[in-house]
Amino acid sequence: MKLGIVGLPNVGKSTLFNAITNAGAQSANYPFCTIEPNVGVVAVPDKRLDALAEMYKPEKYTPASIEFVDIAGLVKGASKGEGLGNKFLANIREVDAVVHVVRCFENDDIVHVDGSIDPKRDIDTINVELILSDMEVLDRRIDKTLKLMKGDKKYRTEYDFFVRVKEALDAGKPARSVECTPEEAELLGSVSLLTNKPVIYAANMSDTDFQNGSVSGNKYFNIVKEIAESEHSGVLPICAETEAEISGMEPEEKELFLSEMGLEKSGLDRLINACYDLLGLISYLTAGKPEVRAWTIKKGTKAPQAAGKIHTDFERGFIRAEVISFNDLMECGSMAAAKEKGLVRSEGKEYVMKDGDIVLFRFNV
């Protein structure tokens, strides 16, 4: 999974990126301090994997991972190449989802590129540039569909749908805000539209707003939340400075610090959970002496396709999956005990994988 961190200059993008990846991207109080996209790969925290490692003492421990890309700050006119616009648009096309950092804190020492704090204006600035870029792409698709429709009326439905999406873009709304049937969603996915990418708005607040985890008093956060809900996006309150402070701490120290702040999880953990939910992802696990490992798949994935994540031969020669839930294995204490109790199931090709399944795939090629 590849996530792009975007936002206007000086909203806390690079501070957040540094905190969650410890990659040391340059962070400074002026626009465009991030020119090349900084990339950091982060292991997905999973206590289930830790428990399996304790049980099996494996030679190799492999958690799932997420790639974060810190993308250059955007300004008005980016769709026409202003600032670092062309680079921004090229980089954002490559990510699976977007983490849009929005400034929701007051600080006279940190210059805002537009001179004041206004989350709606900031979100609109980026959305407008992405919409302008999308309109060019969609116009080409509409023209193509119109030509096809002249020879085959079955393209009429497709044409009507794309016109409806264009009307939304003309009204300043992102493509992801358009209500779609499953068939229309698949059609929309066939066009490379930037505003159709899933988005989580990371509302970057001051640490005082985070005391005891209370964010409802921040008027800027409430504005961001309302915008996110209107376009079917995610929203996450976060404090980049706090994340930076705890990024270098030992686990016990970090846990104590978060507890004192009234928080159960770090911003990174909450961001990862939000991204998994937004993208409809789950993890299944494989465990043994050679390796314990987490594998990321889409919700609704069937066993053969999940097996294909490990190797194409596993999917091609799939026979069955031997499955036990993580909780059942932990209660039994060992795989042998779980088998004695009949808790290890044999599942076939139609089995839909569940989050936390521990699996051994049987195959033959």
Side-chain angles (χ1 to χ4, degrees):
M1 179 164 53
K2 192 172 185 178
L3 303 176
I5 302 180
V6 306
L8 292 177
N10 294 350
V11 297
K13 289 188 301 85
S14 294
T15 301
L16 180 61
F17 174 82
N18 290 347
I20 62 182
T21 65
N22 282 319
Q26 182 185 9
S27 179
N29 182 22
Y30 57 89
F32 309 132
C33 64
T34 307
I35 297 176
E36 293 301 326
N38 293 283
V39 178
V41 178
V42 175
V44 175
D46 193 332
K47 291 183 178 179
R48 300 171 303 189
L49 210 59
D50 296 337
L52 290 174
E54 187 67 29
M55 179 181 286
Y56 283 95
K57 303 292 191 290
E59 295 164 15
K60 193 175 178 184
Y61 176 98
T62 312
S65 63
I66 294 179
E67 189 173 308
F68 284 95
V69 183
D70 180 22
I71 298 173
L74 188 77
V75 294
K76 290 175 183 174
S79 60
K80 303 299 180 187
E82 292 292 327
L84 297 168
N86 292 333
K87 193 178 290 286
F88 176 96
L89 295 172
N91 291 332
I92 201 173
R93 286 191 195 282
E94 298 173 3
V95 302
D96 299 309
V98 175
V99 179
H100 184 162
V101 183
V102 184
R103 181 167 170 175
C104 294
F105 65 88
E106 303 272 3
N107 188 331
D108 294 338
D109 295 329
I110 300 178
V111 179
H112 190 289
V113 72
D114 285 325
S116 62
I117 312 303
D118 186 340
K120 184 179 185 310
R121 179 201 60 211
D122 293 355
I123 289 170
D124 285 347
T125 296
I126 286 189
N127 279 348
V128 164
E129 297 305 324
L130 300 184
I131 285 168
L132 289 172
S133 177
D134 280 353
M135 287 171 78
E136 291 183 18
V137 174
L138 192 59
D139 280 341
R140 290 195 293 270
R141 181 61 178 265
I142 288 173
D143 287 344
K144 180 183 175 183
T145 306
L146 191 57
K147 289 173 185 174
L148 291 169
M149 195 172 71
K150 288 176 182 176
D152 191 340
K153 295 302 178 186
K154 75 177 184 181
Y155 288 99
R156 178 79 208 191
T157 303
E158 182 176 319
Y159 173 80
D160 289 344
F161 171 68
F162 284 137
V163 167
R164 183 152 59 89
V165 176
K166 178 73 186 307
E167 287 170 353
L169 296 178
D170 284 337
K173 297 177 182 177
R176 63 183 169 272
S177 68
V178 177
E179 297 288 346
C180 296
T181 65
E183 293 77 19
E184 288 171 340
E186 190 174 338
L187 196 57
L188 188 57
S190 71
V191 190
S192 181
L193 298 183
L194 300 174
T195 63
N196 193 40
K197 288 183 182 290
V199 169
I200 290 179
Y201 289 107
N204 187 18
M205 305 184 201
S206 67
D207 55 359
T208 52
D209 284 322
F210 255 70
Q211 293 296 334
N212 299 318
S214 175
V215 297
S216 58
N218 184 302
K219 62 182 179 181
Y220 301 126
F221 170 73
N222 292 326
I223 292 169
V224 175
K225 185 179 178 184
E226 190 174 313
I227 292 169
E229 288 172 352
S230 73
E231 59 180 54
H232 314 303
S233 295
V235 62
L236 182 75
I238 203 161
C239 175
E241 287 295 339
T242 296
E243 295 305 311
E245 194 172 342
I246 67 174
S247 63
M249 293 181 181
E250 294 298 321
E252 297 80 9
E253 187 184 2
K254 184 185 294 186
E255 198 171 308
L256 179 61
F257 184 90
L258 289 172
S259 177
E260 289 174 353
M261 289 282 289
L263 299 170
E264 293 180 8
K265 295 180 179 179
S266 71
L268 173 60
D269 289 353
R270 292 185 296 111
L271 180 58
I272 289 172
N273 289 342
C275 289
Y276 267 63
D277 287 343
L278 187 69
L279 293 172
L281 301 175
I282 60 172
S283 293
Y284 75 85
L285 314 168
T286 53
K289 183 63 179 174
E291 183 182 34
V292 296
R293 182 163 180 167
W295 304 85
T296 303
I297 56 173
K298 281 269 190 184
K299 288 178 184 174
T301 299
K302 292 183 178 179
Q305 288 69 49
K309 287 284 289 185
I310 299 175
H311 197 285
T312 53
D313 284 351
F314 283 34
E315 181 175 357
R316 188 159 54 91
F318 180 88
I319 299 172
R320 68 180 185 277
E322 295 178 4
V323 185
I324 182 172
S325 74
F326 171 79
N327 289 338
D328 284 346
L329 179 60
M330 289 299 108
E331 285 177 15
C332 293
S334 72
M335 191 64 77
K339 286 180 177 177
E340 282 180 15
K341 292 185 177 181
L343 294 175
V344 180
R345 312 183 309 277
S346 181
E347 301 287 0
K349 292 182 178 181
E350 294 304 309
Y351 177 69
V352 177
M353 302 292 291
K354 296 181 177 61
D355 188 47
D357 276 348
I358 300 169
V359 192
L360 174 64
F361 292 109
R362 300 292 185 184
F363 70 102
N364 183 33
V365 289

